[in-house]
Amino acid sequence: MTSDNEEEVKQTKTERFATWLMERQEKKEAKETSLEALMKFNIFLSIGTLVAVAGSTVANYVMMAYTWL
């Protein structure tokens, strides 16, 4: 009977570890998603600044670069 109890304890530890790993992965994916959104917003602001300063020529070059991405 003690071996059964030990197996149950090991299984619960394994389950807890698996749960912790899955939660960690979900948090990591959520963090990456927010970073991607911030990067896109930063690019948008940079393009807006360039267009405001240099005019339509920069806008044309930016559109060409965007199509390459």
Side-chain angles (χ1 to χ4, degrees):
M1 285 199 172
T2 57
S3 64
D4 291 337
N5 289 339
E6 289 176 8
E7 288 178 15
E8 289 177 10
V9 171
K10 287 181 182 178
Q11 186 176 7
T12 57
K13 286 181 181 180
T14 303
E15 289 173 352
R16 283 187 286 167
F17 180 69
T19 304
W20 175 78
L21 278 177
M22 288 188 291
E23 290 173 356
R24 189 176 115 191
Q25 183 64 26
E26 290 172 358
K27 289 178 184 178
K28 184 178 179 181
E29 289 173 358
K31 187 176 181 180
E32 288 176 356
T33 303
S34 64
L35 286 176
E36 289 174 2
L38 285 174
M39 288 174 53
K40 288 179 182 178
F41 184 66
N42 186 16
I43 291 170
F44 173 75
L45 288 178
S46 299
I47 290 170
T49 303
L50 287 172
V51 169
V53 171
S56 64
T57 305
V58 171
N60 291 335
Y61 287 124
V62 167
M63 291 304 294
M64 284 189 283
Y66 181 73
T67 56
W68 291 338
L69 296 177

